[in-house]
Short mmCIF file of all heavy atoms in Angstrom, two decimals:
data_model
loop_
_atom_site.label_atom_id
_atom_site.label_comp_id
_atom_site.label_asym_id
_atom_site.label_seq_id
_atom_site.Cartn_x
_atom_site.Cartn_y
_atom_site.Cartn_z
N ARG A 1414 -32.72 -27.57 5.99
CA ARG A 1414 -32.54 -27.60 7.43
C ARG A 1414 -33.84 -27.33 8.16
O ARG A 1414 -34.66 -26.56 7.72
CB ARG A 1414 -31.52 -26.54 7.83
CG ARG A 1414 -30.15 -27.02 7.49
CD ARG A 1414 -29.09 -26.14 7.99
NE ARG A 1414 -27.85 -26.68 7.49
CZ ARG A 1414 -27.26 -27.73 8.03
NH1 ARG A 1414 -27.77 -28.31 9.09
NH2 ARG A 1414 -26.16 -28.21 7.51
N PHE A 1424 -22.91 -15.68 13.43
CA PHE A 1424 -21.59 -15.61 12.83
C PHE A 1424 -21.63 -14.73 11.58
O PHE A 1424 -20.78 -13.85 11.38
CB PHE A 1424 -21.12 -17.02 12.47
CG PHE A 1424 -19.72 -17.09 11.95
CD1 PHE A 1424 -18.65 -16.73 12.74
CD2 PHE A 1424 -19.47 -17.54 10.65
CE1 PHE A 1424 -17.35 -16.81 12.26
CE2 PHE A 1424 -18.19 -17.62 10.17
CZ PHE A 1424 -17.13 -17.26 10.98
N LEU A 1428 -19.61 -11.20 10.81
CA LEU A 1428 -18.81 -10.98 9.61
C LEU A 1428 -19.28 -9.73 8.87
O LEU A 1428 -18.48 -8.89 8.44
CB LEU A 1428 -18.91 -12.18 8.67
CG LEU A 1428 -18.32 -13.48 9.16
CD1 LEU A 1428 -18.47 -14.54 8.08
CD2 LEU A 1428 -16.86 -13.32 9.53
N LEU A 1429 -20.59 -9.61 8.75
CA LEU A 1429 -21.16 -8.47 8.04
C LEU A 1429 -20.79 -7.18 8.76
O LEU A 1429 -20.44 -6.18 8.14
CB LEU A 1429 -22.68 -8.63 7.95
CG LEU A 1429 -23.35 -7.83 6.84
CD1 LEU A 1429 -22.79 -8.23 5.50
CD2 LEU A 1429 -24.85 -8.06 6.87
N SER A 1431 -18.16 -6.64 10.57
CA SER A 1431 -16.76 -6.28 10.43
C SER A 1431 -16.49 -5.65 9.07
O SER A 1431 -15.65 -4.76 8.96
CB SER A 1431 -15.85 -7.49 10.66
OG SER A 1431 -16.13 -8.49 9.74
N MET A 1438 -17.09 3.64 8.06
CA MET A 1438 -16.03 4.60 8.30
C MET A 1438 -15.71 5.39 7.04
O MET A 1438 -15.49 6.60 7.08
CB MET A 1438 -14.77 3.89 8.80
CG MET A 1438 -14.79 3.63 10.27
SD MET A 1438 -14.72 5.19 11.18
CE MET A 1438 -14.67 4.58 12.83
N ARG A 1449 -17.13 19.61 6.16
CA ARG A 1449 -16.14 20.52 6.75
C ARG A 1449 -15.49 21.39 5.68
O ARG A 1449 -15.27 22.58 5.88
CB ARG A 1449 -15.08 19.69 7.47
CG ARG A 1449 -14.22 20.45 8.41
CD ARG A 1449 -14.94 20.75 9.69
NE ARG A 1449 -14.21 21.71 10.49
CZ ARG A 1449 -13.43 21.38 11.53
NH1 ARG A 1449 -13.33 20.13 11.88
NH2 ARG A 1449 -12.79 22.30 12.19
N SER A 1497 9.97 -2.16 -18.13
CA SER A 1497 11.18 -2.92 -18.50
C SER A 1497 11.47 -4.01 -17.48
O SER A 1497 11.76 -5.16 -17.85
CB SER A 1497 12.39 -1.99 -18.59
OG SER A 1497 12.15 -0.96 -19.49
N TYR A 1501 11.52 -8.05 -18.14
CA TYR A 1501 12.67 -8.91 -17.83
C TYR A 1501 12.24 -10.07 -16.94
O TYR A 1501 12.52 -11.23 -17.23
CB TYR A 1501 13.78 -8.11 -17.14
CG TYR A 1501 14.90 -9.01 -16.68
CD1 TYR A 1501 15.83 -9.49 -17.59
CD2 TYR A 1501 14.99 -9.42 -15.35
CE1 TYR A 1501 16.83 -10.35 -17.20
CE2 TYR A 1501 15.99 -10.28 -14.95
CZ TYR A 1501 16.90 -10.75 -15.87
OH TYR A 1501 17.88 -11.63 -15.48
N ASN A 1519 13.60 -8.84 -3.11
CA ASN A 1519 13.75 -7.41 -2.90
C ASN A 1519 12.49 -6.65 -3.26
O ASN A 1519 12.10 -5.72 -2.55
CB ASN A 1519 14.89 -6.90 -3.77
CG ASN A 1519 16.11 -6.68 -2.96
OD1 ASN A 1519 16.13 -5.82 -2.10
ND2 ASN A 1519 17.12 -7.48 -3.19
N GLN A 1521 9.39 -7.76 -3.26
CA GLN A 1521 8.36 -8.01 -2.25
C GLN A 1521 8.62 -7.19 -1.00
O GLN A 1521 7.71 -6.64 -0.40
CB GLN A 1521 8.33 -9.50 -1.89
CG GLN A 1521 7.61 -10.33 -2.92
CD GLN A 1521 7.67 -11.79 -2.55
OE1 GLN A 1521 8.75 -12.34 -2.33
NE2 GLN A 1521 6.53 -12.43 -2.45
N ASN A 1522 9.91 -7.11 -0.63
CA ASN A 1522 10.24 -6.38 0.58
C ASN A 1522 10.05 -4.88 0.39
O ASN A 1522 9.49 -4.21 1.25
CB ASN A 1522 11.68 -6.69 0.99
CG ASN A 1522 12.02 -6.02 2.29
OD1 ASN A 1522 11.30 -6.17 3.27
ND2 ASN A 1522 13.08 -5.26 2.29
N ALA A 1525 6.77 -3.25 1.02
CA ALA A 1525 6.28 -3.11 2.39
C ALA A 1525 7.19 -2.24 3.26
O ALA A 1525 7.00 -2.17 4.46
CB ALA A 1525 6.10 -4.48 3.02
N ILE A 1533 13.87 9.18 3.86
CA ILE A 1533 15.25 9.24 4.36
C ILE A 1533 16.23 8.96 3.23
O ILE A 1533 17.22 9.66 3.05
CB ILE A 1533 15.44 8.23 5.51
CG1 ILE A 1533 14.58 8.65 6.71
CG2 ILE A 1533 16.90 8.14 5.91
CD1 ILE A 1533 14.68 7.72 7.89
N LEU A 1534 15.91 7.94 2.41
CA LEU A 1534 16.76 7.61 1.26
C LEU A 1534 16.85 8.80 0.31
O LEU A 1534 17.93 9.16 -0.17
CB LEU A 1534 16.19 6.38 0.54
CG LEU A 1534 16.82 6.01 -0.80
CD1 LEU A 1534 18.27 5.63 -0.63
CD2 LEU A 1534 16.08 4.85 -1.44
N ARG A 1541 20.74 15.36 -1.09
CA ARG A 1541 22.17 15.54 -0.85
C ARG A 1541 22.90 14.37 -1.48
O ARG A 1541 22.34 13.72 -2.34
CB ARG A 1541 22.40 15.59 0.66
CG ARG A 1541 21.63 16.74 1.28
CD ARG A 1541 21.94 16.90 2.74
NE ARG A 1541 21.26 18.10 3.19
CZ ARG A 1541 20.49 18.15 4.28
NH1 ARG A 1541 20.33 17.08 5.02
NH2 ARG A 1541 19.90 19.27 4.62
N THR A 1590 12.14 -12.70 -33.60
CA THR A 1590 13.06 -12.88 -32.48
C THR A 1590 12.28 -12.70 -31.19
O THR A 1590 11.13 -12.28 -31.19
CB THR A 1590 14.20 -11.85 -32.52
OG1 THR A 1590 13.62 -10.55 -32.37
CG2 THR A 1590 14.96 -11.93 -33.81
N LYS A 1591 12.95 -13.03 -30.10
CA LYS A 1591 12.32 -12.93 -28.79
C LYS A 1591 11.84 -11.50 -28.50
O LYS A 1591 10.73 -11.28 -28.03
CB LYS A 1591 13.32 -13.37 -27.72
CG LYS A 1591 12.74 -13.32 -26.34
CD LYS A 1591 12.92 -14.62 -25.62
CE LYS A 1591 12.11 -14.59 -24.35
NZ LYS A 1591 12.00 -15.82 -23.67
N TRP A 1592 12.70 -10.51 -28.80
CA TRP A 1592 12.34 -9.13 -28.53
C TRP A 1592 11.21 -8.66 -29.44
O TRP A 1592 10.29 -7.97 -29.02
CB TRP A 1592 13.56 -8.21 -28.67
CG TRP A 1592 13.17 -6.77 -28.55
CD1 TRP A 1592 13.20 -5.83 -29.52
CD2 TRP A 1592 12.65 -6.12 -27.38
NE1 TRP A 1592 12.74 -4.65 -29.05
CE2 TRP A 1592 12.39 -4.79 -27.73
CE3 TRP A 1592 12.36 -6.54 -26.08
CZ2 TRP A 1592 11.86 -3.86 -26.84
CZ3 TRP A 1592 11.84 -5.62 -25.19
CH2 TRP A 1592 11.60 -4.30 -25.56
N THR A 1622 2.44 11.82 1.76
CA THR A 1622 2.93 13.04 2.41
C THR A 1622 4.28 12.83 3.07
O THR A 1622 5.19 13.65 2.90
CB THR A 1622 1.94 13.48 3.51
OG1 THR A 1622 0.63 13.22 3.05
CG2 THR A 1622 2.09 14.94 3.80
N ILE A 1653 -1.94 20.45 2.83
CA ILE A 1653 -3.06 20.07 3.70
C ILE A 1653 -2.54 19.84 5.13
O ILE A 1653 -3.12 20.34 6.10
CB ILE A 1653 -3.74 18.79 3.18
CG1 ILE A 1653 -4.43 19.05 1.85
CG2 ILE A 1653 -4.76 18.26 4.20
CD1 ILE A 1653 -4.95 17.82 1.18
N ALA A 1657 -3.53 21.85 8.47
CA ALA A 1657 -4.24 21.09 9.51
C ALA A 1657 -3.63 21.27 10.89
O ALA A 1657 -4.34 21.26 11.89
CB ALA A 1657 -4.30 19.61 9.14
N ARG A 1665 -8.07 25.09 9.39
CA ARG A 1665 -8.57 23.71 9.44
C ARG A 1665 -9.62 23.50 8.35
O ARG A 1665 -9.66 22.44 7.73
CB ARG A 1665 -9.17 23.44 10.81
CG ARG A 1665 -8.14 23.66 11.88
CD ARG A 1665 -8.64 23.28 13.23
NE ARG A 1665 -7.49 22.98 14.06
CZ ARG A 1665 -7.54 22.34 15.21
NH1 ARG A 1665 -8.70 21.93 15.67
NH2 ARG A 1665 -6.46 22.10 15.89
N LEU A 1679 -8.57 11.41 -6.30
CA LEU A 1679 -8.24 10.01 -6.15
C LEU A 1679 -9.38 9.10 -6.56
O LEU A 1679 -9.17 8.07 -7.19
CB LEU A 1679 -7.86 9.72 -4.70
CG LEU A 1679 -6.43 10.08 -4.44
CD1 LEU A 1679 -6.16 10.14 -2.98
CD2 LEU A 1679 -5.56 9.03 -5.08
N ARG A 1690 -10.06 -2.08 -15.67
CA ARG A 1690 -9.86 -3.49 -15.34
C ARG A 1690 -11.10 -4.31 -15.68
O ARG A 1690 -11.00 -5.39 -16.24
CB ARG A 1690 -9.53 -3.62 -13.86
CG ARG A 1690 -9.03 -4.96 -13.46
CD ARG A 1690 -8.62 -4.97 -12.03
NE ARG A 1690 -9.65 -4.41 -11.19
CZ ARG A 1690 -9.45 -3.97 -9.96
NH1 ARG A 1690 -8.26 -4.00 -9.44
NH2 ARG A 1690 -10.44 -3.50 -9.26
N ARG B 329 22.37 -10.39 -33.54
CA ARG B 329 21.45 -9.32 -33.14
C ARG B 329 22.00 -8.65 -31.88
O ARG B 329 21.63 -9.01 -30.78
CB ARG B 329 20.08 -9.90 -32.92
CG ARG B 329 19.52 -10.55 -34.16
CD ARG B 329 18.04 -10.37 -34.22
NE ARG B 329 17.56 -10.83 -35.52
CZ ARG B 329 16.97 -10.02 -36.39
NH1 ARG B 329 16.83 -8.75 -36.11
NH2 ARG B 329 16.54 -10.49 -37.52
N GLU B 332 19.40 -6.60 -29.79
CA GLU B 332 18.60 -7.43 -28.89
C GLU B 332 19.31 -7.64 -27.55
O GLU B 332 18.71 -7.61 -26.49
CB GLU B 332 18.33 -8.76 -29.57
CG GLU B 332 17.15 -9.47 -29.00
CD GLU B 332 16.05 -9.69 -30.03
OE1 GLU B 332 15.87 -8.87 -30.95
OE2 GLU B 332 15.39 -10.70 -29.91
N ILE B 335 19.13 -4.53 -25.48
CA ILE B 335 17.81 -4.39 -24.87
C ILE B 335 17.70 -5.25 -23.62
O ILE B 335 17.26 -4.80 -22.57
CB ILE B 335 16.70 -4.75 -25.89
CG1 ILE B 335 16.62 -3.65 -26.96
CG2 ILE B 335 15.35 -4.91 -25.20
CD1 ILE B 335 15.76 -4.01 -28.13
N TRP B 338 19.47 -3.72 -20.79
CA TRP B 338 18.69 -2.62 -20.21
C TRP B 338 17.56 -3.17 -19.32
O TRP B 338 17.33 -2.68 -18.21
CB TRP B 338 18.13 -1.72 -21.30
CG TRP B 338 16.88 -1.00 -20.89
CD1 TRP B 338 15.61 -1.28 -21.29
CD2 TRP B 338 16.77 0.10 -19.97
NE1 TRP B 338 14.72 -0.43 -20.68
CE2 TRP B 338 15.40 0.43 -19.86
CE3 TRP B 338 17.70 0.83 -19.23
CZ2 TRP B 338 14.94 1.45 -19.04
CZ3 TRP B 338 17.23 1.85 -18.40
CH2 TRP B 338 15.87 2.16 -18.31
N PHE B 340 17.45 -5.98 -17.76
CA PHE B 340 18.01 -6.54 -16.53
C PHE B 340 18.38 -5.42 -15.56
O PHE B 340 18.11 -5.49 -14.36
CB PHE B 340 19.25 -7.39 -16.85
CG PHE B 340 19.93 -7.92 -15.62
CD1 PHE B 340 19.34 -8.95 -14.89
CD2 PHE B 340 21.13 -7.39 -15.18
CE1 PHE B 340 19.94 -9.43 -13.75
CE2 PHE B 340 21.74 -7.87 -14.04
CZ PHE B 340 21.14 -8.89 -13.31
N THR B 350 17.29 -1.06 -2.48
CA THR B 350 17.48 -1.62 -1.14
C THR B 350 18.89 -1.31 -0.63
O THR B 350 19.05 -0.89 0.53
CB THR B 350 17.27 -3.15 -1.17
OG1 THR B 350 16.02 -3.40 -1.78
CG2 THR B 350 17.27 -3.72 0.22
N GLY B 352 20.69 1.15 -1.55
CA GLY B 352 20.68 2.59 -1.27
C GLY B 352 20.08 2.89 0.08
O GLY B 352 20.62 3.70 0.83
N GLY B 414 -12.62 -10.91 9.47
CA GLY B 414 -14.06 -11.04 9.25
C GLY B 414 -14.45 -10.63 7.85
O GLY B 414 -15.20 -11.33 7.16
N SER B 415 -13.90 -9.50 7.38
CA SER B 415 -14.19 -9.02 6.02
C SER B 415 -13.74 -10.06 5.00
O SER B 415 -14.45 -10.33 4.02
CB SER B 415 -13.48 -7.70 5.75
OG SER B 415 -13.79 -6.75 6.71
N TYR B 418 -16.07 -13.02 4.95
CA TYR B 418 -17.33 -12.64 4.32
C TYR B 418 -17.16 -12.55 2.80
O TYR B 418 -17.98 -13.07 2.05
CB TYR B 418 -17.83 -11.30 4.87
CG TYR B 418 -19.24 -11.01 4.43
CD1 TYR B 418 -20.32 -11.55 5.12
CD2 TYR B 418 -19.49 -10.24 3.31
CE1 TYR B 418 -21.61 -11.33 4.71
CE2 TYR B 418 -20.79 -10.00 2.88
CZ TYR B 418 -21.84 -10.55 3.59
OH TYR B 418 -23.13 -10.35 3.17
N TYR B 422 -19.08 -15.86 1.98
CA TYR B 422 -20.50 -15.52 2.12
C TYR B 422 -21.04 -14.67 0.98
O TYR B 422 -22.14 -14.91 0.49
CB TYR B 422 -20.73 -14.80 3.46
CG TYR B 422 -20.80 -15.73 4.64
CD1 TYR B 422 -19.65 -16.25 5.21
CD2 TYR B 422 -22.02 -16.10 5.18
CE1 TYR B 422 -19.70 -17.12 6.28
CE2 TYR B 422 -22.10 -16.96 6.25
CZ TYR B 422 -20.93 -17.46 6.81
OH TYR B 422 -21.00 -18.31 7.87
N GLU B 436 -11.07 -1.15 -1.85
CA GLU B 436 -9.93 -0.54 -2.55
C GLU B 436 -9.90 0.96 -2.34
O GLU B 436 -8.83 1.56 -2.20
CB GLU B 436 -9.98 -0.89 -4.04
CG GLU B 436 -9.29 -2.20 -4.34
CD GLU B 436 -9.65 -2.76 -5.69
OE1 GLU B 436 -9.99 -1.98 -6.59
OE2 GLU B 436 -9.59 -3.99 -5.85
N PRO B 442 -5.75 8.94 0.95
CA PRO B 442 -4.41 9.34 1.41
C PRO B 442 -4.33 9.39 2.93
O PRO B 442 -5.31 9.72 3.60
CB PRO B 442 -4.23 10.74 0.83
CG PRO B 442 -5.27 10.89 -0.19
CD PRO B 442 -6.37 9.97 0.13
N VAL B 444 -2.88 11.45 4.80
CA VAL B 444 -3.04 12.78 5.40
C VAL B 444 -4.53 13.07 5.63
O VAL B 444 -4.91 13.75 6.59
CB VAL B 444 -2.35 13.86 4.53
CG1 VAL B 444 -3.08 14.09 3.23
CG2 VAL B 444 -2.23 15.16 5.28
N ILE B 448 -6.41 14.05 9.13
CA ILE B 448 -7.39 15.10 9.38
C ILE B 448 -8.63 14.53 10.05
O ILE B 448 -9.17 15.09 11.01
CB ILE B 448 -7.78 15.78 8.04
CG1 ILE B 448 -6.64 16.67 7.59
CG2 ILE B 448 -9.06 16.58 8.19
CD1 ILE B 448 -6.96 17.45 6.35
N PHE B 452 -9.64 16.00 13.58
CA PHE B 452 -10.79 16.92 13.65
C PHE B 452 -12.12 16.22 13.91
O PHE B 452 -13.10 16.86 14.23
CB PHE B 452 -10.94 17.72 12.34
CG PHE B 452 -9.77 18.59 12.04
CD1 PHE B 452 -9.50 18.98 10.74
CD2 PHE B 452 -8.93 19.03 13.06
CE1 PHE B 452 -8.43 19.78 10.46
CE2 PHE B 452 -7.86 19.83 12.78
CZ PHE B 452 -7.60 20.21 11.48
N MET B 454 -12.57 12.20 14.84
CA MET B 454 -12.52 11.13 15.83
C MET B 454 -12.08 11.66 17.20
O MET B 454 -12.70 11.35 18.22
CB MET B 454 -11.56 10.05 15.34
CG MET B 454 -11.69 8.73 16.04
SD MET B 454 -13.33 8.05 15.87
CE MET B 454 -13.09 6.98 14.46
N GLY B 517 -22.40 -32.39 4.94
CA GLY B 517 -23.47 -31.79 5.71
C GLY B 517 -23.08 -30.63 6.58
O GLY B 517 -23.82 -30.24 7.48
N THR B 519 -22.43 -26.82 7.82
CA THR B 519 -23.05 -25.53 7.56
C THR B 519 -21.97 -24.59 7.03
O THR B 519 -20.79 -24.91 7.06
CB THR B 519 -23.63 -24.93 8.85
OG1 THR B 519 -22.56 -24.72 9.78
CG2 THR B 519 -24.65 -25.84 9.49
N MET B 521 -20.97 -21.86 8.31
CA MET B 521 -20.08 -21.43 9.38
C MET B 521 -19.04 -22.50 9.67
O MET B 521 -17.86 -22.20 9.89
CB MET B 521 -20.91 -21.16 10.63
CG MET B 521 -20.08 -20.74 11.81
SD MET B 521 -21.11 -20.73 13.27
CE MET B 521 -19.88 -20.46 14.52
N THR B 589 22.26 20.27 9.01
CA THR B 589 22.98 19.12 8.47
C THR B 589 24.21 18.86 9.34
O THR B 589 24.96 19.78 9.63
CB THR B 589 23.44 19.39 7.04
OG1 THR B 589 22.43 20.11 6.38
CG2 THR B 589 23.73 18.10 6.32
N TYR B 594 20.30 15.86 13.47
CA TYR B 594 20.14 15.37 12.10
C TYR B 594 20.43 13.87 12.05
O TYR B 594 19.68 13.09 11.46
CB TYR B 594 21.11 16.13 11.20
CG TYR B 594 21.18 15.65 9.76
CD1 TYR B 594 20.17 15.97 8.86
CD2 TYR B 594 22.26 14.91 9.31
CE1 TYR B 594 20.24 15.55 7.55
CE2 TYR B 594 22.35 14.50 7.99
CZ TYR B 594 21.34 14.82 7.11
OH TYR B 594 21.42 14.40 5.81
N PHE B 598 18.37 9.48 11.35
CA PHE B 598 18.83 8.28 10.65
C PHE B 598 18.94 7.08 11.59
O PHE B 598 18.62 5.96 11.20
CB PHE B 598 20.19 8.56 9.98
CG PHE B 598 20.07 9.51 8.83
CD1 PHE B 598 20.16 10.87 9.04
CD2 PHE B 598 19.84 9.04 7.55
CE1 PHE B 598 20.04 11.76 7.98
CE2 PHE B 598 19.70 9.92 6.49
CZ PHE B 598 19.80 11.29 6.71
N LEU B 609 11.73 -4.71 8.32
CA LEU B 609 12.36 -5.74 7.48
C LEU B 609 12.12 -7.12 8.08
O LEU B 609 11.72 -8.06 7.38
CB LEU B 609 13.85 -5.46 7.36
CG LEU B 609 14.63 -6.41 6.45
CD1 LEU B 609 14.28 -6.14 5.01
CD2 LEU B 609 16.13 -6.27 6.65
N ASN B 612 8.47 -8.03 7.63
CA ASN B 612 8.15 -8.33 6.24
C ASN B 612 8.70 -9.68 5.81
O ASN B 612 8.05 -10.42 5.07
CB ASN B 612 8.74 -7.27 5.30
CG ASN B 612 8.06 -5.95 5.47
OD1 ASN B 612 6.97 -5.88 6.03
ND2 ASN B 612 8.70 -4.90 5.03
N ILE B 616 6.65 -12.61 4.07
CA ILE B 616 6.98 -13.17 2.75
C ILE B 616 7.12 -14.69 2.83
O ILE B 616 6.61 -15.43 1.98
CB ILE B 616 8.28 -12.52 2.21
CG1 ILE B 616 8.02 -11.05 1.85
CG2 ILE B 616 8.78 -13.28 0.99
CD1 ILE B 616 9.26 -10.27 1.50
#
Side-chain angles (χ1 to χ4, degrees):
Chain A
R1414 284 187 185 282
F1424 185 64
L1428 294 182
L1429 202 59
S1431 60
M1438 276 293 183
R1449 195 77 191 260
S1497 303
Y1501 174 77
N1519 258 295
Q1521 282 177 306
N1522 184 52
I1533 294 179
L1534 171 63
R1541 300 186 174 131
T1590 63
K1591 181 128 190 170
W1592 173 248
T1622 323
I1653 293 172
R1665 301 186 157 195
L1679 277 166
R1690 192 175 50 199
Chain B
R329 300 214 171 243
E332 201 118 328
I335 289 170
W338 154 254
F340 176 72
T350 308
S415 305
Y418 191 83
Y422 281 79
E436 272 164 27
V444 70
I448 286 184
F452 298 156
M454 196 59 95
T519 62
M521 179 190 172
T589 322
Y594 174 76
F598 291 88
L609 183 72
N612 292 342
I616 290 171

